Structure formats: C-alpha cells, structure tokens
Amino acid sequence: MDTDKYPTESDRRRFVKGVAGGAAMAAISTAGGAAIEATTTGAGTGGGTVTYRAAKNTDGPAPRGLPQIPLELDDDGYLKGIWPEAEERELEDGTTITVAETELGGVTYSTQWFQYCGCQTFQNVQPDGDHDNYMRYSANTRLDWQSSETSIGERVHVDQFDDYAEWGNGIGEDGYGKPANCTWRSQDVDSEETLPIQVIRSTRVERAAEESEWLAESTVDGFIAFLNKCTHFCCIPGFKDSSDAPKFGAANKSYCACHQSVYDPFEVVERSFTALPRPNTDG
Ligand code: FES
C-alpha cells in the first residue's frame, strides 16, 4: 500500500478503535440479556424498537433521518460498508433469532437499522446474508462527474475523491463534500432488492470525526454513507444532484424530490424507530 496516498489512521483513531474492539467483545458475550427489542411474531422476526444514528431530517414530511452505514477502507483504498457478523440469540420466550450487531464507537450498530421501506424482506438485509460489502457506483445517478469518470458497478476508490475538499457542481457552495450514488450488498440480488447508498467525502465529516467517538469509528478519511431510502415514502434523495434543491433550503443537504424532504448528512443524530420484521425464517 502506498502510505502517501492512503494516509494511515491517526494515533487517536487507532486508540479509539482498540477500545471499541474490547467493548465489542464484552458486549457480544453478554448480549443475550440486552436482546435488542427483537421480537418473533406471526408476522416475522427481528422487528422492534431500535436506536440508530441518522442524517438528521431537517425539513419536509420525512418522519426521521436516514440510517448511517459505518465504513472502512481496505488496504488498496477501496470503500466498504461494515456488516457485523451474524449470531444466534435466544429470546426470553425460548425462541432463537439471528442478529447482526456490534459495538462500534460507543454505539450498538445493528442491521435492524435498515429494516424499513421493504428492505426488511431483501436477501441482502438478512443478518446472515453473505454479500459483497464494497461500495459500487450505481447506474442511477444524476452526478456528471460520476457518469463521466466511473463505470457502473465499479468499486468506489479513495483516489476518485482526491478533489473532495474543493469539489462543486454549481449547486450550493463548493467545498461542502463530493457525493456519489452507490449500491451495497447488491451484486448478486434481483434489481428490485438493490440497496441505494449515498456516499459523501467531506472535510466536514473529517472535523466531526475528531469530536465524536461514533463518527471516528463509522466514517473513514472524510467518507460517510447512508442508506438512501427516504423515510417518508421510500424515494431516493440526492446530495447536489437537483437544481431544485436550493429552493427548498437543501443546496448543501440531501433533498428528496418526491415531497421535498431534506436531510443534513453533516448532522448525525441519535433516533429510534420500529424496525419492521423480517420474513420468518429463523428457528
Ligand atoms: S419526501 Fe416523500 S418520499 Fe421522500
């Protein structure tokens, strides 16, 4: 690996990772009691109230923020979303449930975060689903830079974002962040089960990561990602991909054109919602 191109993590970040790793081991070994509010009902399994980290919804009818996806870079500079190892867990009523969750930066990150808008039925959102975790460029983009400089399905590489600190496209202010429309865990599934992902690299994310243990662990080199399904009616919002966005106060935010919901990808907040149950395939 070229360490000039792919800067090594700061000492602080390495330290935080070490602490979080230890906490994760402890949490998993005692997690049965904590048992997430996972339920198994006739309607399915693994639904219930869950607390998550979100890009804050700041305007419009969206009831809550977009769920964040923790990220990492591999040794060659390719961007990956983190999917925790699945494990079996026994509920109080004696039934068994499969969960994929881990302690990360002081937060319990669970794949329940993505169980809404129909995604709860997708193969690639089942906790033990074995899918490709690299972020890949989507065919569905209105970003000129992405259409002209990348190929559909290509893995996202850090070098493609070298200009992130000053990037702009005439929508809002330059230098807020460079976006890409991506997919995740969707290489080998039916097209209707594709997970749309918003990836942004921004100096704002880098600065926020210096102040937050969670963001230090869940973002990498200024990259942040969200499941890009509007929490209103499941449309796909966009960051700097609509000339209408400034009219709705979203020049430097994510804007959903369906009913004008606005999300701030640089304001990550804690929220709760009721994760929808997955199809009942657990024992
Ligand atoms: S604002 Fe209605 S689907 Fe996004």
Side-chain angles (χ1 to χ4, degrees):
M1 181 173 97
D2 181 340
T3 50
D4 286 326
K5 272 187 172 167
Y6 315 125
T8 53
E9 295 167 330
S10 69
D11 287 340
R12 178 184 176 281
R13 189 176 159 94
R14 208 174 297 135
F15 170 75
V16 172
K17 268 197 191 294
V19 171
M25 298 295 280
I28 286 171
S29 62
T30 59
I36 55 175
E37 278 194 56
T39 54
T40 299
T41 68
T45 192
T49 305
V50 64
T51 299
Y52 73 111
R53 291 299 187 279
K56 186 179 181 183
N57 52 311
T58 59
D59 210 345
R64 58 188 182 82
L66 299 171
Q68 195 187 334
I69 299 170
L71 294 172
E72 59 188 355
L73 282 174
D74 77 6
D75 289 346
D76 297 317
Y78 290 102
L79 193 66
K80 295 176 83 170
I82 295 173
W83 189 265
E85 191 98 7
E87 62 171 348
E88 298 283 307
R89 192 168 298 171
E90 195 170 316
L91 300 180
E92 280 174 10
D93 65 2
T95 55
T96 304
I97 187 172
T98 308
V99 301
E101 66 177 39
T102 190
E103 295 299 309
L104 195 69
V107 171
T108 302
Y109 164 49
S110 168
T111 60
Q112 281 188 308
W113 295 13
F114 314 124
Q115 290 177 202
Y116 71 102
C117 273
C119 298
Q120 71 278 0
T121 67
F122 294 179
Q123 289 176 48
N124 47 10
V125 173
Q126 305 313 299
D128 53 0
D130 184 17
H131 297 276
D132 173 44
N133 285 317
Y134 282 102
M135 293 296 171
R136 293 176 182 272
Y137 291 106
S138 171
N140 297 317
T141 188
R142 289 191 296 268
L143 295 167
D144 287 343
W145 88 264
Q146 182 175 330
S147 302
S148 60
E149 296 174 33
T150 71
S151 309
I152 296 164
E154 179 186 354
R155 290 183 296 171
V156 174
H157 193 276
V158 65
D159 282 358
Q160 294 157 326
F161 288 76
D162 275 350
D163 56 347
Y164 73 107
E166 62 275 351
W167 184 88
N169 64 353
I171 298 172
E173 290 171 48
D174 290 358
Y176 247 79
K178 182 174 182 177
N181 297 107
C182 299
T183 64
W184 181 48
R185 298 173 60 78
S186 302
Q187 282 300 95
D188 47 2
V189 299
D190 294 342
S191 59
E192 59 267 25
E193 295 197 353
T194 297
L195 296 176
I197 310 297
Q198 178 76 73
V199 167
I200 300 173
R201 190 181 193 194
S202 171
T203 55
R204 281 171 172 71
V205 173
E206 287 174 313
R207 287 200 294 275
E210 290 171 8
E211 306 296 326
S212 156
E213 187 185 354
W214 160 250
L215 290 176
E217 286 297 303
S218 62
T219 67
V220 60
D221 288 1
F223 283 101
I224 195 165
F226 302 93
L227 179 59
N228 209 18
K229 287 246 187 192
C230 185
T231 60
H232 182 223
F233 283 151
C234 311
C235 287
I236 299 180
F239 180 78
K240 293 184 182 286
D241 75 349
S242 166
S243 55
D244 283 343
K247 293 182 214 155
F248 297 95
N252 299 307
K253 295 179 180 170
S254 278
Y255 167 68
C256 184
C258 287
H259 314 94
Q260 289 73 54
S261 284
V262 179
Y263 301 90
D264 188 347
F266 309 116
E267 189 170 358
V268 173
V269 293
E270 180 180 302
R271 289 287 181 268
S272 295
F273 80 111
T274 303
L276 298 177
R278 305 186 306 265
N280 215 342
T281 54
D282 288 348

